[in-house]
Amino acid sequence: MVLEVRNISKVYRKKKQKIEVLKNVSYQFEKGTFYWINGKSGAGKSTLIQIIGLLLSPSEGSILIENKDVSTLSDKEKAEIRNQKIGFVFQSFYLNPLMKAYENVMLPMYIHSKYSKEERKEEAFRLLEFVGLKDRVKHFPKELSGGEQQRVAIARALANHPNIILADEPTGSLDPENEEKILTFLKNLAKEGKCVIVVSHNPVTKEYADKILLMERHTIIEEKSYEK
Amino acid sequence: MKNKLLLATIYQFRRKSNLFNIFFIGIFTFLAILIGSYHSSSVHYMKYDIYDSFKQKTLIVTKSQEELEMEGITLDDVREDLNKLKHVTYVARFASFRNYLHSSLLEKEKQNGYVELYASNNSILPKIVKGISFTEENKYTMICPQNFFAIDNLEDLWYMKKKDGISTKQLLGQTIPFEYRSNSGMKTYTIELQVIGLYKNNRYHVDENVCYVEESILEEVLKNQYADDFDDENGVSNLVYQTDFAVQIDELENRSFVEKELIDKGYSVSPMSKVATEYFNEITKKMNNMTFGILSILFLFVLLVLQKKYKEEKKQYQLMVYLGYSKKDIRLIYHMSNIFNIIVSCLFALLISLVPLFLFYKILDIYPFLFHKWRLIVNYMPVLTVFIVSFVASFITSIFHTFYLFEDEND
Ligand SMILES: Nc1ncnc2c1ncn2[C@@H]1O[C@H](COP(=O)(O)OP(=O)(O)O)[C@@H](O)[C@H]1O
Ligand SMILES: [Mg+2]
């Protein structure tokens, strides 16, 4: 098992108000599987994915990556896990506008990385070729279309060969054609053995998903109990 | 570390607003260098000019009439004696407070028309900036200061601007009629002196009312002043009792040596002038305040620029958190990128400061007399100050934001 959340709760405190977003969430994620987390807006999907990505600490509960409890690690150790074992893809692509495509892809490789300078560049070029942007490597983000930018982001998420890919609304701002391309890439990654978790309220995702999870009443309900 | 340095610096130039920041901080640093250098040079110059003015280097030396009689020597013997002393460049008869002459031609709104006459000769005259020095043909000539104020009290200069002074353009070549009275007040004399040269001076309250004449002219004036001033008992002119000499010394540092020699020889000695330190201190203080002011503005400016820079880059730092950079890494990258900016700004400032330096040296080559005592002392201290200030500003900015890139109330 590559990833497990155990009894996760999350409470946001805004001034004196308490907002309970997640309540006792437990789930085990497997390798080689495409998960689609579905749910209404405000259900806590982004919160869950940020907790899984070690960007937020849960109020209660623990996260296990490769059977190791990582929720108690220091900021530095969590950062290293993010860098080595997790790849992120977002709705707004989040590319550095000052860096060319391949430089953006290289960004996670500068730390904790076994790459030399040349290897870094080679790997970035290879990854961009993999997402079909061979002739766009030296373009700046603003010179790329939305779909191309998202593919750069996917290449960047793969930079250090992580086993877990987290995507929050990855097709949220794309047209259907690019949507299909992105989801196909993610699907192929799952086929290669990675654990791909996609948060989306886009029903098309269903066609690609191996497992469908629904977030409701502050927790995860599996596909079996998902009534449509 | 090397990678982080690379990341912090390599993309800074691609941010256009950064070039803007670098440019502005650079200009400010440049200004600070200019002011700092002007400060240092001026302090040096003033020190040199005030402390080393002819009045500082001149001693009033006297042996009383009785002593002369007892020793059986004349004033000429004294003059010879003084001239023989080491480090003495010039000896002339002197009568303090008797050398003020008045000309109504020099009266102006804020000036009462008095000039102070000193004896001099061509070998010890200050640098002549216009006209000529003393000649054989005409003895009735004088050499006036470039910054000329016809007043009998130099302290009045505190309240005057340069334009309140005598316009030296029209002055050169003019013959000025002076009048003065005998000591008893009974007789009025006139003497006409042609301005043949202007010597270099500055507004340091030292010599702005001093004109130089040949010693024979000053002696004529003194003789007339004492002509009807008789000692009734002995029936001789009081001028006889006037036994002061002005003794000019080559370098200021030799003054105490000469002073000691003279005292050992039985002369009474007093320096012609004590340094006008108040003025000097005042200027230095003003300069310090100005430099401090510029640096304070710079500090605020750097703080503002870094603040703005942080806001622009915040999203990228957030992204770095996602990609596995720790907060410590990011803070380091942030500081390094700031320092990189500042270094480039400082280099830029140093580079553009070369232009005025180059020009200054060029001018110095062509018109050395303009700055004959002026030594340029380039002060690069402000660059260091800017660097330290920026470092502190970067630190304050990072503390201020404490890098809460992700609001996490549980932390
Ligand atoms: N930093 C925060 N502080 C307080 N409340 C938050 C914060 N982030 C999210 N929330 C709240 O938590 C709930 C879940 O948000 P989110 O996880 O973004 O849901 P989703 O992604 O499913 O739309 C929302 O009601 C939102 O207002
Ligand atoms: Mg969301």
Coordinates of all heavy atoms in Angstrom, one line a residue, chain A residues 10 13 50 55-59 75-76 79 82-83 88 90 94-100 103 107-108 110-112 120 140 156, chain B residues 3-4 6-7 10-12 14-16 313 315-316 318-329 406-411:
Chain A
K10 N -10.2 17.5 10.1 CA -9.6 18.8 9.9 C -10.7 19.9 10.4 O -11.8 19.9 9.9 CB -9.2 19.0 8.5 CG -8.6 20.4 8.2 CD -7.3 20.5 8.8 CE -6.8 22.0 8.6 NZ -5.4 22.2 9.3
R13 N -10.1 27.0 12.0 CA -10.6 28.0 13.0 C -10.5 29.4 12.4 O -9.4 29.8 12.0 CB -9.7 27.9 14.3 CG -10.1 26.7 15.1 CD -9.4 26.7 16.4 NE -9.5 25.4 17.0 CZ -8.7 24.4 16.8 NH1 -7.7 24.5 15.9 NH2 -8.8 23.2 17.4
Q50 N -4.6 18.4 0.1 CA -3.5 19.2 0.7 C -3.0 18.5 1.9 O -1.8 18.5 2.2 CB -3.9 20.6 1.0 CG -4.1 21.4 -0.2 CD -4.2 22.9 0.0 OE1 -4.1 23.4 1.2 NE2 -4.5 23.7 -1.0
L55 N 0.8 19.4 2.9 CA 0.9 20.8 2.9 C 0.1 21.4 4.1 O 0.4 22.5 4.6 CB 0.3 21.4 1.6 CG 1.1 21.0 0.3 CD1 0.2 21.2 -0.9 CD2 2.3 21.9 0.2
L56 N -0.9 20.6 4.5 CA -1.6 21.0 5.7 C -1.5 19.9 6.7 O -1.4 18.7 6.3 CB -3.1 21.1 5.3 CG -3.7 22.4 4.7 CD1 -5.2 22.2 4.5 CD2 -3.4 23.6 5.5
S57 N -1.5 20.2 8.0 CA -1.5 19.2 9.0 C -2.9 18.9 9.4 O -3.7 19.8 9.5 CB -0.7 19.7 10.2 OG 0.5 20.2 9.9
P58 N -3.3 17.7 9.5 CA -4.6 17.4 10.0 C -4.8 17.7 11.5 O -3.8 17.8 12.2 CB -4.7 15.9 9.8 CG -3.3 15.4 9.8 CD -2.5 16.5 9.3
S59 N -6.0 18.0 11.8 CA -6.2 18.3 13.3 C -6.1 17.1 14.1 O -5.6 17.1 15.2 CB -7.6 18.9 13.5 OG -7.9 20.0 12.6
D75 N 9.1 20.0 9.2 CA 8.8 20.7 8.0 C 9.8 20.3 6.9 O 9.4 20.1 5.7 CB 8.9 22.2 8.2 CG 8.8 23.0 7.0 OD1 7.8 23.0 6.3 OD2 9.8 23.7 6.6
K76 N 11.0 20.2 7.3 CA 12.1 19.9 6.3 C 11.9 18.4 5.8 O 12.0 18.2 4.5 CB 13.4 20.0 7.0 CG 14.6 20.1 6.0 CD 15.9 20.4 6.7 CE 17.0 20.2 5.8 NZ 18.0 19.2 6.3
A79 N 9.0 18.3 3.5 CA 9.3 18.9 2.2 C 10.1 17.9 1.3 O 9.8 17.8 0.1 CB 10.2 20.1 2.4
R82 N 7.6 15.4 -0.1 CA 6.9 16.1 -1.2 C 7.7 16.1 -2.5 O 7.2 15.8 -3.6 CB 6.5 17.5 -0.9 CG 5.2 17.7 -0.1 CD 4.8 19.2 -0.3 NE 5.7 20.2 0.3 CZ 5.8 20.4 1.6 NH1 5.0 19.8 2.5 NH2 6.7 21.3 2.0
N83 N 9.0 16.4 -2.3 CA 9.9 16.5 -3.4 C 10.1 15.2 -4.1 O 10.1 15.1 -5.3 CB 11.2 17.1 -2.9 CG 12.2 17.3 -4.1 OD1 13.2 16.6 -4.1 ND2 11.9 18.2 -4.9
F88 N 2.5 17.1 -7.9 CA 1.3 17.9 -7.9 C 0.9 18.5 -9.2 O 1.8 18.9 -10.0 CB 1.4 19.1 -6.9 CG 1.5 18.7 -5.5 CD1 2.7 18.5 -4.8 CD2 0.3 18.6 -4.7 CE1 2.7 18.2 -3.5 CE2 0.3 18.3 -3.4 CZ 1.5 18.1 -2.7
F90 N -2.2 21.2 -10.7 CA -3.3 22.0 -10.2 C -4.2 22.6 -11.4 O -3.7 22.5 -12.5 CB -2.8 23.2 -9.5 CG -1.7 22.9 -8.5 CD1 -0.3 23.0 -9.0 CD2 -1.9 22.5 -7.3 CE1 0.7 22.7 -8.1 CE2 -0.9 22.2 -6.4 CZ 0.4 22.3 -6.8
Y94 N 0.1 26.8 -12.4 CA 1.1 27.2 -11.4 C 2.5 27.1 -12.0 O 3.4 26.6 -11.3 CB 1.1 26.3 -10.2 CG 0.6 27.0 -8.9 CD1 0.0 26.3 -7.9 CD2 0.8 28.4 -8.8 CE1 -0.3 27.0 -6.7 CE2 0.5 29.0 -7.6 CZ -0.1 28.3 -6.6 OH -0.5 28.9 -5.4
L95 N 2.7 27.6 -13.2 CA 4.1 27.6 -13.7 C 4.7 28.9 -13.4 O 4.1 29.9 -13.2 CB 4.0 27.4 -15.3 CG 3.4 26.1 -15.8 CD1 3.5 26.1 -17.3 CD2 4.1 24.9 -15.2
N96 N 6.0 28.9 -13.2 CA 6.8 30.1 -13.0 C 6.9 30.9 -14.3 O 7.5 30.4 -15.2 CB 8.2 29.8 -12.4 CG 8.9 31.1 -12.0 OD1 8.7 32.1 -12.6 ND2 9.7 31.0 -11.0
P97 N 6.3 32.0 -14.4 CA 6.2 32.7 -15.7 C 7.6 33.2 -16.2 O 7.8 33.5 -17.4 CB 5.3 33.9 -15.4 CG 5.4 34.1 -13.9 CD 5.6 32.8 -13.3
L98 N 8.6 33.2 -15.3 CA 9.9 33.7 -15.7 C 10.8 32.6 -16.2 O 11.9 32.8 -16.6 CB 10.6 34.4 -14.5 CG 9.9 35.6 -13.9 CD1 10.7 36.1 -12.7 CD2 9.8 36.7 -14.9
M99 N 10.3 31.3 -16.1 CA 11.1 30.2 -16.5 C 10.5 29.6 -17.7 O 9.3 29.5 -17.9 CB 11.1 29.2 -15.4 CG 11.8 29.7 -14.1 SD 11.8 28.3 -12.9 CE 12.6 29.1 -11.6
K100 N 11.4 29.2 -18.6 CA 11.0 28.4 -19.8 C 10.5 27.1 -19.4 O 10.7 26.6 -18.2 CB 12.3 28.2 -20.7 CG 12.8 29.6 -21.3 CD 14.1 29.4 -22.0 CE 14.6 30.8 -22.4 NZ 16.0 30.7 -22.8
E103 N 12.9 24.7 -17.8 CA 13.3 25.2 -16.5 C 12.3 25.0 -15.4 O 12.6 24.6 -14.3 CB 13.7 26.7 -16.6 CG 14.9 27.0 -17.4 CD 15.1 28.4 -17.8 OE1 14.1 29.2 -17.8 OE2 16.2 28.8 -18.2
L107 N 12.6 22.5 -12.0 CA 12.5 23.1 -10.6 C 12.5 22.1 -9.5 O 13.3 22.4 -8.5 CB 11.2 24.0 -10.6 CG 11.2 25.1 -9.6 CD1 12.4 26.0 -9.6 CD2 10.0 26.0 -9.9
P108 N 11.8 21.0 -9.5 CA 11.9 20.1 -8.4 C 13.2 19.3 -8.3 O 13.5 18.7 -7.3 CB 10.8 19.1 -8.6 CG 9.9 19.7 -9.7 CD 10.8 20.5 -10.5
Y110 N 16.3 20.5 -8.3 CA 17.4 21.2 -7.7 C 17.7 20.7 -6.3 O 18.8 21.0 -5.8 CB 17.2 22.7 -7.7 CG 17.4 23.3 -9.1 CD1 16.3 23.7 -9.9 CD2 18.6 23.6 -9.6 CE1 16.4 24.3 -11.1 CE2 18.8 24.1 -10.8 CZ 17.7 24.5 -11.6 OH 17.9 25.1 -12.8
I111 N 16.7 20.2 -5.6 CA 16.9 19.8 -4.2 C 16.8 18.3 -4.1 O 16.0 17.7 -4.8 CB 15.9 20.5 -3.3 CG1 14.5 20.6 -3.9 CG2 16.4 21.9 -2.9 CD1 13.5 21.0 -3.0
H112 N 17.5 17.8 -3.1 CA 17.5 16.3 -2.8 C 17.7 15.5 -4.0 O 17.1 14.4 -4.1 CB 16.1 15.9 -2.1 CG 15.7 16.8 -1.1 ND1 16.4 17.0 0.1 CD2 14.6 17.6 -1.0 CE1 15.7 17.8 0.9 NE2 14.7 18.2 0.2
R120 N 19.9 16.8 -15.4 CA 18.7 17.6 -15.1 C 18.0 18.1 -16.4 O 16.9 17.9 -16.6 CB 19.1 18.8 -14.2 CG 18.1 19.2 -13.2 CD 18.7 19.9 -12.0 NE 19.7 20.9 -12.3 CZ 20.7 21.1 -11.5 NH1 20.8 20.4 -10.4 NH2 21.6 22.0 -11.8
F140 N 8.3 30.2 -23.0 CA 7.9 30.6 -21.7 C 6.4 30.3 -21.6 O 5.7 30.2 -22.6 CB 8.1 32.1 -21.6 CG 9.5 32.5 -21.3 CD1 10.3 33.0 -22.3 CD2 10.0 32.4 -20.0 CE1 11.6 33.3 -22.1 CE2 11.3 32.8 -19.8 CZ 12.1 33.2 -20.8
R156 N 6.5 18.3 -14.9 CA 7.1 18.8 -13.7 C 6.8 17.9 -12.5 O 7.6 17.5 -11.7 CB 6.8 20.2 -13.4 CG 7.5 20.8 -12.2 CD 7.1 22.2 -11.9 NE 5.6 22.2 -11.6 CZ 4.9 23.4 -11.5 NH1 5.5 24.5 -11.8 NH2 3.7 23.3 -11.2
Chain B
N3 N 23.0 25.1 -6.1 CA 21.7 25.1 -6.9 C 20.8 26.2 -6.4 O 20.1 26.8 -7.3 CB 21.0 23.8 -6.7 CG 21.8 22.7 -7.4 OD1 22.6 23.0 -8.3 ND2 21.5 21.4 -7.1
K4 N 20.7 26.4 -5.1 CA 19.8 27.4 -4.6 C 20.2 28.8 -5.0 O 19.4 29.7 -5.4 CB 19.7 27.3 -3.1 CG 18.8 26.1 -2.7 CD 19.0 25.8 -1.2 CE 18.5 24.4 -1.0 NZ 19.0 23.9 0.3
L6 N 21.9 29.5 -7.7 CA 21.5 29.5 -9.1 C 20.1 29.9 -9.3 O 19.7 30.8 -10.0 CB 21.8 28.1 -9.7 CG 21.7 28.0 -11.2 CD1 23.0 28.5 -11.7 CD2 21.5 26.6 -11.6
L7 N 19.2 29.2 -8.5 CA 17.8 29.5 -8.6 C 17.4 30.9 -8.2 O 16.6 31.6 -8.8 CB 17.0 28.6 -7.7 CG 16.6 27.3 -8.3 CD1 15.9 26.4 -7.2 CD2 15.7 27.5 -9.4
I10 N 19.4 33.4 -11.1 CA 19.4 33.3 -12.6 C 18.1 33.9 -13.2 O 18.2 34.5 -14.3 CB 19.5 31.8 -13.0 CG1 20.0 31.8 -14.5 CG2 18.3 31.0 -12.8 CD1 20.5 30.4 -14.9
Y11 N 17.0 33.9 -12.4 CA 15.8 34.4 -13.1 C 15.4 35.8 -12.7 O 14.4 36.4 -13.1 CB 14.6 33.5 -12.7 CG 14.9 32.1 -13.1 CD1 15.2 31.1 -12.2 CD2 15.0 31.7 -14.5 CE1 15.5 29.8 -12.6 CE2 15.3 30.5 -14.9 CZ 15.6 29.5 -13.9 OH 15.9 28.2 -14.3
Q12 N 16.3 36.4 -11.9 CA 16.0 37.8 -11.4 C 16.0 38.8 -12.5 O 15.2 39.7 -12.6 CB 17.0 38.2 -10.3 CG 16.8 37.5 -9.0 CD 15.5 37.7 -8.4 OE1 15.0 38.8 -8.4 NE2 14.9 36.7 -7.9
R14 N 15.1 38.3 -15.5 CA 13.9 38.2 -16.4 C 12.7 39.0 -15.9 O 11.8 39.2 -16.6 CB 13.5 36.7 -16.6 CG 14.6 36.0 -17.3 CD 14.1 34.6 -17.7 NE 15.2 33.8 -18.3 CZ 15.2 32.5 -18.3 NH1 14.1 31.8 -17.9 NH2 16.2 31.8 -18.8
R15 N 12.8 39.4 -14.6 CA 11.7 40.1 -14.1 C 11.9 41.6 -14.4 O 12.8 42.2 -13.8 CB 11.6 39.9 -12.5 CG 10.3 40.4 -11.9 CD 10.4 40.3 -10.4 NE 10.5 38.9 -10.0 CZ 9.4 38.0 -10.0 NH1 8.2 38.4 -10.4 NH2 9.6 36.8 -9.7
K16 N 11.1 42.2 -15.2 CA 11.3 43.5 -15.7 C 11.3 44.5 -14.5 O 12.1 45.4 -14.4 CB 10.3 43.9 -16.7 CG 10.6 43.3 -18.1 CD 10.2 44.2 -19.2 CE 10.5 43.5 -20.5 NZ 9.6 42.3 -20.8
E313 N 6.5 37.8 -5.9 CA 7.1 36.5 -6.0 C 6.4 35.5 -5.1 O 6.7 34.3 -5.1 CB 8.6 36.6 -5.6 CG 9.4 37.3 -6.6 CD 10.9 37.5 -6.2 OE1 11.2 37.3 -5.0 OE2 11.7 37.8 -7.1
K315 N 3.6 33.9 -5.0 CA 3.1 32.8 -5.7 C 4.1 31.7 -6.0 O 3.9 30.5 -5.9 CB 2.3 33.2 -6.9 CG 1.0 32.5 -7.1 CD 0.2 33.0 -8.3 CE -0.8 32.0 -8.7 NZ -1.3 32.2 -10.0
Q316 N 5.3 32.2 -6.5 CA 6.4 31.3 -6.8 C 6.9 30.6 -5.6 O 7.3 29.4 -5.7 CB 7.5 32.1 -7.6 CG 7.0 32.7 -8.8 CD 6.0 31.9 -9.6 OE1 6.3 30.7 -9.8 NE2 4.9 32.5 -10.0
Q318 N 5.2 29.9 -3.0 CA 4.1 28.9 -2.7 C 4.3 27.7 -3.5 O 4.2 26.6 -3.0 CB 2.7 29.5 -3.0 CG 1.9 29.7 -1.7 CD 0.7 30.6 -2.0 OE1 0.3 30.9 -3.1 NE2 0.3 31.2 -0.9
L319 N 4.6 27.9 -4.8 CA 4.8 26.8 -5.7 C 6.0 25.9 -5.2 O 5.9 24.7 -5.3 CB 5.1 27.3 -7.1 CG 5.6 26.3 -8.1 CD1 4.5 25.3 -8.5 CD2 6.1 27.0 -9.3
M320 N 7.0 26.6 -4.7 CA 8.2 25.9 -4.3 C 7.9 25.0 -3.1 O 8.4 23.9 -3.0 CB 9.3 26.9 -3.9 CG 10.0 27.5 -5.1 SD 11.2 28.6 -4.6 CE 12.2 28.7 -6.0
V321 N 6.9 25.4 -2.3 CA 6.5 24.6 -1.2 C 5.9 23.3 -1.7 O 6.2 22.2 -1.3 CB 5.4 25.3 -0.3 CG1 4.9 24.3 0.8 CG2 6.1 26.5 0.4
Y322 N 5.0 23.4 -2.7 CA 4.4 22.2 -3.4 C 5.5 21.3 -3.9 O 5.4 20.1 -3.8 CB 3.5 22.6 -4.5 CG 2.2 23.1 -4.2 CD1 1.8 24.4 -4.3 CD2 1.2 22.2 -3.7 CE1 0.5 24.8 -4.0 CE2 0.0 22.5 -3.4 CZ -0.4 23.9 -3.5 OH -1.7 24.3 -3.2
L323 N 6.5 21.9 -4.5 CA 7.5 21.1 -5.2 C 8.6 20.5 -4.2 O 9.5 19.9 -4.7 CB 8.2 21.9 -6.3 CG 7.3 22.4 -7.3 CD1 8.0 23.2 -8.4 CD2 6.5 21.3 -8.0
G324 N 8.4 20.8 -2.9 CA 9.3 20.1 -2.0 C 10.4 21.0 -1.4 O 11.3 20.4 -0.8
Y325 N 10.3 22.3 -1.6 CA 11.3 23.1 -0.9 C 10.8 23.4 0.5 O 9.6 23.7 0.7 CB 11.4 24.5 -1.7 CG 12.1 24.4 -3.0 CD1 11.5 23.9 -4.1 CD2 13.5 24.7 -3.2 CE1 12.1 23.8 -5.3 CE2 14.1 24.6 -4.4 CZ 13.4 24.1 -5.5 OH 14.0 24.0 -6.7
S326 N 11.7 23.3 1.5 CA 11.3 23.6 2.8 C 11.3 25.1 3.0 O 11.8 25.9 2.2 CB 12.3 23.0 3.8 OG 13.6 23.7 3.7
K327 N 10.6 25.6 4.1 CA 10.5 27.0 4.3 C 11.9 27.6 4.5 O 12.1 28.8 4.1 CB 9.7 27.3 5.6 CG 8.2 27.0 5.3 CD 7.3 27.4 6.5 CE 5.9 27.0 6.1 NZ 5.0 27.3 7.3
K328 N 12.8 26.9 5.0 CA 14.2 27.4 5.2 C 14.8 27.6 3.9 O 15.5 28.6 3.6 CB 15.0 26.3 6.1 CG 16.0 27.0 6.9 CD 16.7 25.9 7.8 CE 18.2 26.0 7.6 NZ 18.8 24.7 8.0
D329 N 14.6 26.6 3.0 CA 15.2 26.7 1.6 C 14.7 28.0 1.0 O 15.4 28.8 0.4 CB 14.7 25.6 0.7 CG 15.4 24.2 1.1 OD1 16.5 24.3 1.7 OD2 14.8 23.2 0.8
F406 N 1.3 28.9 3.6 CA 0.1 28.2 3.7 C -0.5 28.4 5.1 O 0.2 28.1 6.1 CB 0.3 26.7 3.5 CG 0.5 26.4 2.1 CD1 1.8 26.4 1.6 CD2 -0.5 26.2 1.2 CE1 2.0 26.2 0.2 CE2 -0.3 26.0 -0.1 CZ 1.0 26.0 -0.6
E407 N -1.6 29.0 5.1 CA -2.2 29.3 6.4 C -2.6 27.9 7.1 O -3.4 27.2 6.6 CB -3.5 30.1 6.3 CG -3.3 31.6 6.4 CD -2.7 32.2 5.2 OE1 -2.3 31.5 4.2 OE2 -2.6 33.4 5.2
D408 N -1.9 27.7 8.1 CA -2.1 26.4 8.8 C -2.3 26.7 10.3 O -1.3 26.8 11.0 CB -1.0 25.4 8.6 CG -1.4 24.0 9.0 OD1 -2.4 23.9 9.8 OD2 -0.7 23.1 8.6
E409 N -3.6 26.8 10.7 CA -3.9 27.2 12.0 C -3.4 26.2 13.1 O -3.2 26.6 14.2 CB -5.4 27.5 12.2 CG -5.9 28.8 11.7 CD -6.1 28.8 10.2 OE1 -5.7 27.8 9.5 OE2 -6.6 29.7 9.7
N410 N -3.1 25.0 12.6 CA -2.7 24.0 13.6 C -1.3 24.1 14.0 O -0.9 23.6 15.0 CB -3.0 22.6 13.1 CG -4.5 22.3 13.1 OD1 -5.3 23.1 13.6 ND2 -4.9 21.2 12.5
D411 N -0.5 24.8 13.2 CA 0.9 24.9 13.5 C 1.2 25.7 14.7 O 0.6 26.8 14.9 CB 1.6 25.5 12.2 CG 2.1 24.4 11.3 OD1 1.7 23.3 11.6 OD2 2.7 24.8 10.3

